[in-house]
Every structure is written in C-alpha cells, then in structure tokens.
Amino acid sequence: MKRDPNAMTDRMRPQYHFLPASNWMNDPNGLIQFNGVYHIFYQRNPFAATWGPMYWGHAESHDLVHWRLMPDALKPDSPADKGGVWTGCMVDDKGAPTAIYTGVEPQCVCIATGNRDLSRFTKYVGNPVVPAQQQAMGLTGFRDPYVWKQGSWWMMVVGAGIPGKGGELLLYRSRDLRQWESRGTAFVGDRDQHPDMWECPNLFRLGTKWVLIISNGQTWWYTGTFRNGRFSPEKTGLLDAGNSLYAPQTFKDARGRRILFGWLRENRSDAEAHGWQGVMSLPRILKVDANGDLTQAPAPELQRLRARSTHATAIKLTQREGFLPLKDFEKLGDECELQAVLKPGQAGRVGLVVAATPDGVEQTRIEYNVRRGGIDVDRSRSSLSKSADAGTVFLPAELDSAGEIRLRIFVDRSVIEIYTADGQCMAVRIYPTRPDAMAMGVTGDPGGAIEALRVNRMRSAIPSVGAAEIEPTQE
C-alpha cells in the first residue's frame, strides 16, 4: 500500500467523519453490529487516491464514533472476483458473519465467511453462488446484493437495469445463502426518473412500512409495501438534497435502530493530488413518520464528541448583512456542531456563515430563503481553489407554526451536513484553503433573527490503526 503523506496533512481532510488513512474510498459495505461491536467495511483502492482495484477495507467501533482501522477483509484474489470485490452486505448466519458481495468480472454474487472478530474471511469454494446474469438477461448491470432474513428464508435483492425501461430490482431467496432461486422482479423504476440502472439497493421493514433505497446518480427512498415478492411504492423522495452523498447502506443494531452510512464524494477536481478521496457520512438514524415519509437524524452518540460550547440568543438583523462576524465564535466555524433556530420574520433570508476567514474572502453561507421555501448553501466563496465546486445547493424545508426553522449543522473541514427538525437533510462539500477559515457569523436581511444559537466545538475522532493492519502488495 502506497500511503501518501499528503493525506494526513491536507487541511481540508475531515477530523470526525470516518475515512481511512489515505487513498481512495467509496461505498460502505457489510455494515453490522456483531458481538456488540460495530463494523464498517468499504470499497477502497489501497494503492492510490483514484478508483482502481476494489478491496473491502474494514474498521470497527464500540460507539459509532471512534473507529479502529483493521486489515482489509476481502481482496480480488479468486477466479470469481479477480476483477474486483465490489459492494455487498453482511449477515449473521447462526453466529457466522457472512459477507455477500459482488464479484467482478463478470458481475456475479459471491459469499465469504468470517471468524468471530471478523478479522479474517474465507471465501466459499463454490463461488459464485449466483452466476453472472447481465449478458444472459440483457441487463445494464447486475450488482450490489442486499440480504435479510424473512421467516425461514434468506431474501436477496440485486440492483439491475432494463435497457429502455430503467432501474430494476431482482429478487432471490435461499435456505442456506449458497443455493439461490430467482423470484423474478420485485420492482421496476420509472424510465424518465431512473433511465439506467439501480445501484446499491436496500430493502427493509421499518415500523409498519417497507423502505427501498436505491442510487442512480442521486439516491432515492421509497416507502410502501412488500407482499408476495413485489414492492409497491406509496411515497418517494431524495434521500439527501446535497450533491455528494451516494451509495448508502443501512443495518439494524442491537437496540433495533436502523442506521445509515453513505459515501460522500469529492467535489474538487484535484482531489487525487491530496492523497485521499472519499469520506463517510455521519451515522444517521432512520424512521418513517406518520405521513409515510422517511426521516433521518444524526446518531445521538455524536454528542460524545462535543467539547466546549458557546451560545447566543436573539441575534437581530437590522440591516442587510453579507457576513457579520460573531464575537466569541471566531475559531469555532470549521470543526463544530451548530444548533440553531432561525426566524425570517419579514426578511427574505436569514442564516449563518461558517468556515469563514475574518475578512470574509472565504465563507460558506447557510441561509433560509423565504421565496424559495428552503435552505440555500451558497458555496460561491467557499474556496479560493479553482478546482472546488462553487455551486449553490438547495434543501426544501418548511417553517414551523411559529415561523421558525430548527437546524443541526455539522461542519468538519470540507464536509457540511445539515439536518432539519422534521428529518430532512443534505451533505455538501466545501474546500476552504486558508488556515484562518475558522470564523462564524450571521447573514440575511433586516427583520430576520437567529433566535438561538449553540455551537459545540467537536473533538477529533481520527481512526486509530489496529496493531494487525497489513499493507497489501499489488500483484
């Protein structure tokens, strides 16, 4: 493994979101809590900060926040996966942690069984357990198995696509995870909305509803019913309104919570030069509300990272402000959690400025825009780097009965995650270049107010390295 020394010194590298020490990372894989320990596996290229030969990286945690990097779990070293060990999931098969993953090339379904601490995996000698289907069925792809137990059956959905029709969800079942029978198509998407194929499907029961999550350029959720092997959607929406989160995976922990991690893609064109690409979202708790909408909230374990706290109340805007720095908040704006109550009143917009230089040359504005009915994240001045995406990202959001909106905002160097009180969210990437881009302030029009603001400085949670971490050699 060629570990780029630039990776750890890049000031845009997140400090409390999970990411490996260097090189490329994408989809979360094999999420599971096993024997009380959380495990996250993920697609990675251990040799460079670009997409390449896919391995399953591995890390473990006791609290969803502090992670320990472990040796790679799976590598492309068998006939069924010599082209790459692509995305899949993990299940507990009567005490045996079992990975079900995409082998390449061609795309097929394989399994591997782990030992008790998931430090070593043995691939099934009969792989692939489901042979390549893409060419035989005329599909645009066949990958990313997601498996769950339903009665005495293991059920599996695989992402695919029908040329000219759109995304397709293929269904299989098995008694033993090794012999699978096809149950046909569980759901076909809308050709206009999903013209290619569905990647990284997740299908699971949550409360009284079934939830389907798929990725196709962006990531979408559906809620509905699943009967007789067919999913019937009732409601749908974007999982994340930002332009970074992709290919999420969910799992149920011992407390019965449905937890999601997603890959946050880079939004700068020169990322490879910095020795790393890709970071995981914060862990999100999923629920379905009374209206049948999927909601998300940051896992409460994140409160363990809170350090010193600064707060203010009743910040009134009396004139049009582009960036009004807040005293006592000068060095909190790049690694923090904000809890804010915004009240536009008669103003057209009101919001906060984060990751700002004292002179405002670099700044990111997070504003409630009354006319648009939601939150704008204005990145036009987020970075002096010409390689960084400078577009504005929008999250539709409604004011409550008091004319206010309550937000939790996590800023972590180049990552911003925003959560509304009613469970909407978005993740965006920013790349401030100056080391003094740590200030915070307010922005908006006269009449607007920040009714309450609490800012918690967040402690670093850079993953530690397990004693047995093995550096692979490129063959």
Side-chain angles (χ1 to χ4, degrees):
M1 171 171 49
K2 183 181 179 181
R3 183 169 292 171
D4 194 321
N6 294 328
M8 296 303 292
T9 59
D10 181 11
R11 78 164 309 275
M12 302 182 204
R13 183 180 173 88
Q15 298 297 292
Y16 62 88
H17 284 70
F18 172 78
L19 71 170
S22 64
N23 298 320
W24 172 276
M25 178 185 73
N26 58 296
D27 308 4
N29 293 164
L31 303 182
I32 194 170
Q33 185 182 23
F34 191 79
N35 290 337
V37 179
Y38 292 104
H39 295 267
I40 187 169
F41 300 85
Y42 49 93
Q43 293 282 282
R44 86 174 190 116
N45 175 5
F47 307 108
T50 58
W51 193 93
M54 287 294 103
Y55 285 55
W56 269 31
H58 179 203
E60 64 177 26
S61 172
H62 290 273
D63 64 1
L64 286 175
V65 173
H66 298 93
W67 294 90
R68 181 171 179 256
L69 293 171
M70 303 300 291
D72 289 334
L74 296 171
K75 62 181 180 179
D77 61 357
S78 69
D81 59 27
K82 62 182 182 295
V85 178
W86 285 11
T87 292
C89 63
M90 187 82 63
V91 297
D92 181 350
D93 182 19
K94 300 177 182 177
T98 304
I100 305 97
Y101 65 93
T102 305
V104 184
E105 175 82 27
Q107 296 170 21
C108 58
V109 178
C110 301
I111 68 171
T113 304
N115 60 358
R116 294 294 294 173
D117 63 2
L118 283 73
S119 63
R120 186 175 64 255
F121 282 81
T122 302
K123 294 177 181 178
Y124 177 51
V125 295
N127 279 338
V129 293
V130 180
Q133 301 292 308
Q134 185 172 346
Q135 185 173 359
M137 299 177 65
L139 303 172
T140 54
F142 180 77
R143 56 184 179 267
D144 311 333
Y146 188 83
V147 176
W148 72 98
K149 194 70 176 287
Q150 191 166 325
S152 60
W153 291 97
W154 289 106
M155 308 297 293
M156 176 173 70
V157 289
V158 179
I162 306 172
K165 285 190 175 182
E168 181 181 24
L169 195 67
L170 300 176
L171 182 67
Y172 296 82
R173 72 177 185 179
S174 172
R175 296 285 191 187
D176 62 1
L177 296 174
R178 288 155 179 80
Q179 302 294 322
W180 292 90
E181 62 178 274
S182 172
R183 304 297 291 172
T185 298
F187 186 40
V188 176
D190 185 321
R191 177 176 57 188
D192 295 330
Q193 188 176 29
H194 307 291
D196 186 14
M197 70 163 287
W198 281 344
E199 297 184 296
C200 305
N202 285 226
L203 182 61
F204 53 90
R205 189 180 182 92
L206 188 56
T208 61
K209 298 292 183 181
W210 281 80
V211 178
L212 171 64
I213 296 174
I214 59 95
S215 293
N216 178 276
Q218 290 181 289
T219 298
W220 301 80
W221 61 262
Y222 295 85
T223 58
T225 61
F226 181 64
R227 298 190 185 97
N228 301 319
R230 301 295 178 265
F231 177 76
S232 300
E234 295 169 352
K235 303 197 75 171
T236 188
L238 276 175
L239 183 80
D240 188 291
N243 60 351
S244 184
L245 186 138
Y246 196 70
Q249 188 171 108
T250 76
F251 71 106
K252 184 190 288 188
D253 74 354
R255 294 165 56 184
R257 302 180 300 176
R258 178 63 59 169
I259 303 173
L260 176 145
F261 282 91
W263 166 40
L264 302 183
R265 299 174 286 196
E266 300 302 320
N267 290 152
R268 58 176 174 174
S269 59
D270 66 346
E272 180 183 355
H274 298 278
W276 65 279
Q277 288 204 63
V279 57
M280 287 298 169
S281 72
L282 296 174
R284 302 177 179 185
I285 308 300
L286 304 184
K287 293 183 179 180
V288 176
D289 67 17
N291 297 317
D293 292 312
L294 187 68
T295 67
Q296 302 170 75
E301 285 89 340
L302 293 165
Q303 296 175 26
R304 299 177 183 180
L305 296 178
R306 290 174 178 170
R308 65 185 178 95
S309 177
T310 305
H311 63 90
T313 57
I315 304 171
K316 308 291 185 182
L317 297 176
T318 58
Q319 60 185 18
R320 185 177 181 85
E321 297 289 357
F323 169 40
L324 177 63
L326 291 174
K327 187 179 179 181
D328 301 327
F329 292 78
E330 292 94 340
K331 295 184 179 181
L332 294 176
D334 69 333
E335 295 173 32
C336 61
E337 173 199 12
L338 299 86
Q339 298 166 281
V341 181
L342 308 183
K343 189 167 187 174
Q346 298 303 309
R349 59 187 184 88
V350 62
L352 300 163
V353 179
V354 299
T357 54
D359 57 9
V361 170
E362 286 189 326
Q363 58 173 278
T364 298
R365 299 187 191 184
I366 303 170
E367 300 177 322
Y368 189 83
N369 186 315
V370 174
R371 181 181 59 82
R372 298 187 71 189
I375 300 161
D376 283 321
V377 180
D378 180 355
R379 298 181 297 167
S380 60
R381 285 186 280 176
S382 293
S383 177
L384 292 174
S385 171
K386 295 187 182 301
S387 72
D389 189 342
T392 295
V393 186
F394 177 71
L395 172 65
E398 296 181 357
L399 300 174
D400 63 20
S401 58
E404 300 173 341
I405 186 164
R406 297 173 182 271
L407 302 176
R408 286 182 70 184
I409 304 169
F410 294 87
V411 183
D412 189 6
R413 299 285 182 93
S414 64
V415 174
I416 297 178
E417 293 194 48
I418 301 172
Y419 298 82
T420 67
D422 62 355
Q424 307 305 305
C425 63
M426 70 172 166
V428 299
R429 304 300 301 274
I430 61 171
Y431 299 95
T433 62
R434 283 175 43 176
D436 61 346
M438 301 170 64
M440 186 177 300
V442 296
T443 183
D445 298 328
I450 291 84
E451 293 292 308
L453 175 64
R454 179 176 294 276
V455 181
N456 303 296
R457 186 69 176 173
M458 298 293 270
R459 297 183 179 91
S460 174
I462 296 173
S464 61
V465 178
E469 187 184 26
I470 299 171
E471 296 189 353
T473 56
Q474 192 160 18
E475 298 176 357

